[in-house]
Amino acid sequence: MRLLTALLTLVAALGLLGPGTAASAHPAPTYSVGNSATSFYVVRTNGELVRWDKFTGSYQPHLIGPGWGDTRLIAGLSTSQLVQVRTDGTLWDWKIDPADGVWKGYLVGGGWGTVRQITGLAPNLFQALTDGGQRQEWYSPSGNHNYYNSAQTSGWDKYSLVAGLSTVYFIEINSGGTAKQHGYTGPGWTATTIGGGWGNVRLITGANNDRFLVVRTDGVLVEWNRSGTSWAATPIGGGWTDAALLG
């Protein structure tokens, strides 16, 4: 496995491994907390991977590179880490190498063809919803691309759209168009209904503990911000029909 990882790193650095061939548009930030920065990833229909950052003012795009057309699912774990499920059912862990600022991919393993949704919760931590209605949390405690299933519950709507906000919050839009906020309260998760009428959401992703974004079926990107116990919408703009995946 060590040899395989080294070879994959070398191939990615040389630009031979599809995604990850281009250097980051700017050096990796010094912070690295899952979704605490207002950033998210987009895979465009042309196969480009773009990270959108909002440090101040409006969101700004940073092209990571082309060659991501074989991506089936994607989840941002931080501004310098993401996980990818490819169309062949393999899971990949991607990180910016602080030594050279280049994105490099590491094969985690196969068998991810039954996973329907993934979303980041924190660095080296993400959740998955399976075709069997299981919600799983996958964690790499050493950050060495070896993940294990740290928690699992059943009975979830497998058609849900989910967006991780932090280790203790995530948003769910179920197949009936109802949005719910899930919070961890000790032994388990407690759901609070945000409201109905969310059936026009095509894609969703978390940005930080109090913010998530959706792409509606009309191509409009909308930012949702927590205000006390409610959520307020801020339309960002149209033209997002070319977004194939959000993470």
Side-chain angles (χ1 to χ4, degrees):
M1 181 63 187
R2 184 174 299 173
L3 177 60
L4 175 60
T5 299
L7 289 174
L8 289 169
T9 302
L10 176 62
V11 171
L14 293 175
L16 303 177
L17 184 68
T21 60
S24 175
H26 57 259
T30 56
Y31 52 82
S32 182
V33 177
N35 296 329
S36 70
T38 303
S39 302
F40 63 96
Y41 297 88
V42 176
V43 176
R44 292 173 171 163
T45 53
N46 65 0
E48 290 180 342
L49 175 64
V50 180
R51 192 183 72 214
W52 289 80
D53 300 316
K54 182 180 179 182
F55 298 102
T56 59
S58 60
Y59 287 94
Q60 300 297 322
H62 300 278
L63 177 65
I64 294 174
W68 291 75
D70 63 348
T71 305
R72 188 171 68 84
L73 300 171
I74 196 168
L77 278 59
S78 75
T79 52
S80 57
Q81 183 186 16
L82 62 88
V83 288
Q84 171 204 29
V85 175
R86 292 185 173 179
T87 53
D88 63 1
T90 57
L91 175 69
W92 291 73
D93 192 8
W94 290 85
K95 292 183 178 180
I96 294 178
D97 187 335
D100 55 18
V102 175
W103 284 90
K104 295 176 182 178
Y106 304 84
L107 175 64
V108 178
W112 288 77
T114 61
V115 171
R116 183 173 291 272
Q117 289 285 321
I118 59 173
T119 186
L121 299 175
N124 304 305
L125 177 65
F126 67 97
Q127 77 171 15
L129 288 182
T130 72
D131 284 340
Q134 291 182 335
R135 175 190 172 273
Q136 303 170 346
E137 288 189 19
W138 291 86
Y139 181 46
S140 177
S142 299
N144 60 353
H145 324 297
N146 293 322
Y147 284 84
Y148 73 95
N149 188 351
S150 59
Q152 182 170 292
T153 55
S154 301
W156 292 82
D157 182 349
K158 68 178 182 180
Y159 298 106
S160 291
L161 299 174
V162 291
L165 305 184
S166 70
T167 57
V168 294
Y169 285 111
F170 71 92
I171 300 295
E172 174 197 11
I173 301 175
N174 64 26
S175 58
T178 298
K180 298 179 180 180
Q181 172 186 302
H182 294 264
Y184 188 75
T185 55
W189 293 83
T190 299
T192 302
T193 299
I194 297 173
W198 292 73
N200 64 345
V201 172
R202 184 170 66 87
L203 301 170
I204 186 172
T205 188
N208 60 37
N209 193 60
D210 299 303
R211 177 174 295 163
F212 67 94
L213 297 103
V214 302
V215 172
R216 299 190 316 214
T217 52
D218 61 0
V220 175
L221 178 70
V222 181
E223 178 186 271
W224 287 86
N225 292 278
R226 193 197 315 266
S227 178
T229 58
S230 62
W231 291 86
T234 301
I236 302 300
W240 288 77
T241 55
D242 71 337
L245 297 169
L246 229 61

